[in-house]
Amino acid sequence: MIENQKIRPAQVVGPLGEPLTLDSLPPVDTTRWVVRRKAEVVAAVNGGLLTVDEACARYSLTLEEFAGWQRAVDRSGMHGLRVTRIQYYKSLYERQQKY
């Protein structure tokens, strides 16, 4: 019987175009989440390097927190991850949805 094995890439393309591997991801004990680090974790999950559950367990994130990062990247790119601009991008997205 052949079991379906999970095939994962050795590397994925990061948010700035650089190759990302498990070793090049942010450290597990990261407490200061800058835009680039958030975007790297989202890119790793989107590329299949990590699963959502693995990323949340590895970085002690809640599912809602990670989903927020992913939604921000989908809507506004890396700029959407900036904490100081959350309200601006949120209102911009809501205005776009009206039309």
Side-chain angles (χ1 to χ4, degrees):
M1 178 183 194
I2 299 174
E3 293 188 22
N4 187 10
Q5 296 180 353
K6 293 183 180 179
I7 299 173
R8 292 190 183 194
Q11 65 182 18
V12 296
V13 178
L16 301 176
E18 78 287 0
L20 276 179
T21 63
L22 286 175
D23 295 332
S24 66
L25 286 174
V28 175
D29 59 349
T30 300
T31 56
R32 186 168 182 269
W33 285 100
V34 295
V35 171
R36 180 186 51 80
R37 290 183 186 142
K38 292 177 186 178
E40 286 176 346
V41 174
V42 171
V45 170
N46 288 346
L49 197 59
L50 291 172
T51 66
V52 174
D53 294 332
E54 289 170 342
C56 289
R58 180 178 176 138
Y59 296 110
S60 300
L61 302 171
T62 63
L63 186 57
E64 291 80 15
E65 186 174 17
F66 178 78
W69 292 359
Q70 205 167 32
R71 190 170 41 252
V73 169
D74 290 344
R75 289 180 179 172
S76 306
M78 284 181 62
H79 295 289
L81 293 170
R82 294 176 62 193
V83 174
T84 57
R85 301 294 286 180
I86 288 175
Q87 287 301 102
Y88 170 76
Y89 287 113
K90 182 178 176 184
S91 65
L92 178 67
Y93 180 75
E94 287 171 352
R95 283 185 300 209
Q96 289 174 345
Q97 292 300 311
K98 290 181 182 178
Y99 304 104

